[in-house]
Amino acid sequence: MAQKKEFPGWILFMILFMITVLPFFFFSPQNHQTSYSDFKRLLREGKVKEVVISRETIQGTKTESTGPEAGKEEPFSTVRVDDPNLISELQAKNIRYTGEIQNHWLKDLVLFWVLPAMVIFFIWSLFARRMSGGGGQGFMAFGRARAKVFAEKEVQVSFNDVAGADEPKEELMEIVEFLRQPKKFQRLGGRIPKGVLLVGPPGTGKTLLARAVAGEARVPFFSMSGSEFVEMFVGVGAARVRDLFAQAQEKAPCIIFIDELDALGRARGLGMLGGGHAEQDQTLNQLLVEMDGFDPRKGVIIMAATNRPEILDPALLRPGRFDRQVLVDRPDVREREEILHLHTKSVKLDPKVDIKLLAARTPGFVGADLANVVNEAALLAARKNKDQVEMEDFEEAINRVTTGLEKKKRVMSKKEKEFVSYHESGHALVAELVPNADPVHRISIIPRGIAALGYTLQLPTEDRYLMTKSELQDRLAVLLGGRVAEEIIFGEISTGAQNDLTRATDIARSMVREFGMSEKLGLVSFERSGGRMPGDGVPPGAKDYSEDLAKAIDEEVKEIIDKTHVRVRSLLQKHRETLKVLAKLLLEKEVVEGETLRKIVHGDSRPRKGEPRHEVDLHFPEEPRRAVGE
């Protein structure tokens, strides 16, 4: 069926303008405009036949008495002036004159009321259509929810399309079973959770899991972002929440999915302090009311995703609203292997490509990162006119993701290259000498990314979820190795260690303030993991410890850094000749692999492991591996 075309508004406006306004200009009597002095002259000469006097004008008919146009009558008009002798002169010349009360109400109504109202209405309707997205519903569409609605047959995603995330899929299978067979749970008096909150870092597949639930259950899927509820007009967000739930109940059973819930569900009471406002609070209040009001037996399941659960309003997370929180965490090495297998199905791979090895070399990568690595590797292979994607393409793709693009054409002076070479050699040598550091995979002095003149890439041998105090101290040592190498070899320091010092300070401060790893301050944590919340008795941004204790914390952080500096300096002084050999080799080849480094240091290319580690209950989640020296 052909879509009906809308009548353009500007054409309607032009038609109305011509009908109402133009007749006053083109169809009014065309009188000859005469000056008042000429009118008095014609009056004295007897050429005026009759006149009509109004408040503002004098209109009449004049005749010619001589010449070829003698006897021809012609209308004229002149502006009336204050002339007390006019009436007597007209009577003396025996000229018929009449008065006229002018009534311009219709013209005034059109020009000063109808026409401006039409212009205002036209501009308002055009603005409303633009704001409503051109849907043709005008201003009233502001209160309509802009959710993307996918019918049962349109959702083509299932759990088979979600690699890894085995535990979240098991949790969500119960939701699928309820949507498929609600009576199975209702016959025993059970109540399915109203809301499911997917929590996890960005890129872990929270939105994909929500769509997979809808695809498995074969129910409609309403998808909307939290930021789409709030507009510039007060009350629009609450109206959209009501409309969304009304649409969902009409199509029950179904799933409502709200992405980036933290944009809508931020804790109330942060208006002046957190950048929120009354409109956002009103929208959140309406969401809370709707979640309480609808009947869960109708089969409307609310799912939401966020990577900042700590800032959500506590009322959202109480039982009866978002009853369950499902953690969608970073994949481990086995799950990364499954994700890579899924993304490489449509990629022509060289038989030598080892997916298991690639999974081991991408610790901390989420699903989006792995998809990007596969895509980058395919693009690199196509750029080199290869028929298959090889292992070296994946290696380069991982380097691009972790350290940025190579900048081989950047020209550096000889002195700068020496500084960078010894700096990166210091990082790598310390990483091999301390017992608890991750093995070095590659050292490079080829500039990459925005500001990295070189990098030392370390890859852990296993996924880590806890870190001990000795491991953090060794990580500090590796970060300070570059700066100390510059001090030992050149007797001066450069700005290249700025990023290393920032990261080292962050680790030392976390050891003191969060993890209770200070012997001087004891087993005390001075930092709350969730930040300040309204109603906890402490103003946001305030410290709940004294200035003396804050000074002690700063002194303890500095002492940890200073002790590590002394330790690293002693270590590199002892292996100064090895440092020089490694730096010269790096200057010559620009890239040195980890196996070569271990042969230089130990005479063996195998990664050396430290003593057996005793892990404490310290939550320090592994993030995507960043190269030292960036």
Side-chain angles (χ1 to χ4, degrees), residues 60-77:
T61 305
K62 63 179 181 178
T63 59
E64 291 291 339
S65 57
T66 60
E69 296 183 354
K72 180 182 179 181
E73 296 182 356
E74 182 180 351
F76 72 92
S77 175

Side-chain angles (χ1 to χ4, degrees), residues 130-300:
R130 293 285 180 86
M131 291 295 292
S132 63
Q137 300 181 21
F139 191 77
M140 296 306 167
F142 278 134
R144 298 295 305 276
R146 299 182 179 179
K148 298 177 181 177
V149 184
F150 300 92
E152 303 92 304
K153 297 180 180 179
E154 294 178 354
V155 182
Q156 303 295 332
V157 181
S158 66
F159 283 148
N160 294 329
D161 301 311
V162 184
D166 294 334
E167 294 178 358
K169 285 192 288 188
E170 291 178 5
E171 289 286 333
L172 295 174
M173 273 304 298
E174 185 176 348
I175 306 297
V176 175
E177 287 294 324
F178 173 77
L179 291 171
R180 285 179 177 174
Q181 304 175 11
K183 294 182 180 180
K184 174 182 177 181
F185 298 87
Q186 294 172 356
R187 65 184 180 87
L188 298 178
R191 180 180 59 84
I192 198 69
K194 284 186 180 180
V196 179
L197 181 62
L198 302 176
V199 180
T204 51
K206 299 184 291 294
T207 304
L208 184 63
L209 274 171
R211 296 193 65 180
V213 171
E216 290 283 346
R218 294 298 177 186
V219 295
F221 183 73
F222 291 78
S223 177
M224 194 168 180
S225 173
S227 60
E228 291 179 325
F229 286 97
V230 183
E231 286 280 0
M232 62 184 290
F233 298 103
V234 176
V236 170
R240 287 182 175 172
V241 171
R242 289 191 294 268
D243 183 70
L244 176 62
F245 277 82
Q247 292 183 48
Q249 292 193 24
E250 290 177 359
K251 296 189 177 182
C254 64
I255 292 176
I256 298 176
F257 178 66
I258 303 175
D259 203 2
E260 304 297 342
L261 181 64
D262 48 275
L264 170 64
R266 187 184 297 266
R268 290 166 292 183
L270 298 177
M272 294 293 293
L273 301 169
H277 47 77
E279 167 65 7
Q280 182 174 336
D281 292 347
Q282 182 178 349
T283 306
L284 175 58
N285 291 337
Q286 187 63 45
L287 176 62
L288 298 176
V289 171
E290 293 291 338
M291 292 186 70
D292 280 338
F294 75 92
D295 188 356
R297 291 175 298 179
K298 291 185 177 180
V300 178

